Amino acid sequence: MNHIYEYKKGVRQMVLYTCSRRLESYVTERLQSQKIDYVLQSAGNRNINVYFGRRECLDAIRLIVTRPLYELSPEEDFILGTLLGYDVCIQCQRFCQRKTRMAGQRGTA
């Protein structure tokens, strides 16, 4: 689990790992044995999203990610990407594209 290694070395403050539900017990046992906090979220019928990392980040995840990722607002999506350590400039571009698309959809209604 490269993600755990990166987290423990301080490369990442938080990780999002999507996996099959079949692996849930393996993944959660591994995180518990490493004393790493985590949050689980359904990702369809067959998968789960496992967020793990710093408690402060996970507290924010519990408040922001309360529904499937594709339903997040552009603002929530931006915050999530930033928490995950994604490139801020790319996140800004993504945010602007999503906001522009939403404004266009409202204008055609």
Side-chain angles (χ1 to χ4, degrees):
M1 304 235 14
N2 191 53
H3 293 310
I4 291 175
Y5 175 82
E6 288 179 352
Y7 169 69
K8 291 202 130 195
K9 291 297 181 184
V11 174
R12 299 171 181 261
Q13 301 302 309
M14 188 179 75
V15 174
L16 167 57
Y17 176 62
T18 302
C19 64
S20 167
R21 288 185 188 277
R22 294 181 293 112
L23 298 175
E24 181 177 344
S25 62
Y26 171 77
V27 171
T28 56
E29 287 171 15
R30 179 79 184 240
L31 292 170
Q32 289 169 0
S33 74
Q34 298 280 319
K35 296 182 175 35
I36 298 173
D37 293 324
Y38 63 91
V39 171
L40 300 177
Q41 178 194 41
S42 178
N45 294 330
R46 296 184 181 153
N47 296 321
I48 56 168
N49 288 329
V50 183
Y51 299 88
F52 66 89
R54 301 272 309 258
R55 183 175 306 257
E56 301 89 342
C57 296
L58 295 176
D59 288 344
I61 289 300
R62 286 182 185 97
L63 295 172
I64 295 168
V65 185
T66 58
R67 58 196 175 282
L69 296 180
Y70 67 88
E71 291 182 5
L72 295 181
S73 71
E75 292 82 5
E76 292 164 330
D77 180 80
F78 180 84
I79 293 168
L80 175 60
T82 303
L83 286 171
L84 290 169
Y86 298 167
D87 181 277
V88 173
C89 292
I90 292 173
Q91 285 304 111
C92 289
Q93 288 174 336
R94 179 179 167 89
F95 171 76
C96 291
Q97 288 169 350
R98 292 188 72 204
K99 285 297 276 191
T100 301
R101 191 173 1 161
M102 285 180 68
Q105 289 172 352
R106 279 192 217 111
T108 59

